[in-house]
Amino acid sequence: MCRLPLLALLGVVLALTGCAQGRDAKRAETLVTGPIKVNLDLKDPSMSFGVLPRGEDRLVFKVGSGRHGVTCAGSRFEEGYTPLGTFKVNAILSNGRFVMDPKLIAESGQSEAALKQTLFPSMNAIDFDGDGETGEYGIGYISLAPVASVKQPFGFNRYAGKFRWYSFAIHGSNNDKRIGQKVTGGCLNVAEPELKTLLGAVRLGDEVHITANGPCTP
């Protein structure tokens, strides 16, 4: 059997250790290091933006919001309105990633394996507008739960025969013209390149702070 000299073996070990530490450091840099902040411009929706902090880096991205406006923090959820306030990520869904609060998995009545395989594809196959177009969540869906006492009236259900998780979320779109516009049912929509970064960076429990530069609807 060929044996490496002790010094050579030590060099290999140190090199491998250095690679592992480098990978860990790179991974740490990509994760969220503070609250994601979203500021909605009620006068000019195209100027609404979010900021994703990752160490010293900041990713600034354009967002779209609810077609009717915003509701005040801690007040209520209503179709067509984006709620203001502080939220925490409770699920991350895409074709390549599935992470969900264990309590939600139990609430769904399905196994984690089944949800991982079918939930997002099923949700994204729904034609919400009846115009023959699907994929309205784009490449992913980041579900947000309010930190305040107001509970969102959403959950698991079936829509057009497809099982889905219906919640307030940051998600993609099948039409880039919708990004930066007041067109959603209340969710925040983000273009694919930035959403791809978000999907890889966020973790369960990360906070999202949503504010606006104008009056909210009580």
Side-chain angles (χ1 to χ4, degrees), residues 4-139:
L4 288 173
L6 180 59
L7 289 178
L9 180 61
L10 181 60
V12 171
V13 171
L14 289 175
L16 291 174
T17 301
C19 289
Q21 290 176 342
R23 287 194 299 270
D24 290 343
K26 184 176 181 180
R27 182 174 183 274
E29 289 174 359
T30 65
L31 296 177
V32 178
T33 53
I36 299 169
K37 296 183 179 180
V38 175
N39 183 55
L40 301 178
D41 192 317
L42 302 184
K43 294 181 179 179
D44 184 357
S46 68
M47 298 300 292
S48 297
F49 68 93
V51 180
L52 170 71
R54 295 180 296 167
E56 296 181 356
D57 295 331
R58 297 289 186 274
L59 172 68
V60 179
F61 54 94
K62 183 181 290 188
V63 300
S65 58
R67 55 182 171 269
H68 297 319
V70 297
T71 55
C72 301
S75 61
R76 74 188 193 285
F77 287 85
E78 184 175 339
E79 176 67 23
Y81 289 85
T82 296
L84 304 181
T86 299
F87 304 83
K88 284 191 176 183
V89 174
N90 64 351
I92 305 159
L93 311 177
S94 71
N95 289 328
R97 188 178 182 197
F98 174 88
V99 184
M100 180 173 280
D101 185 322
K103 293 181 180 179
L104 290 178
I105 294 176
E107 182 183 321
S108 75
Q110 299 195 25
S111 69
E112 182 174 355
L115 292 174
K116 182 176 182 179
Q117 182 177 7
T118 66
L119 184 58
F120 182 70
S122 177
M123 290 167 56
N124 220 21
I126 296 172
D127 176 9
F128 289 101
D129 296 327
D131 56 7
E133 295 185 3
T134 59
E136 296 186 38
Y137 292 134
I139 64 169

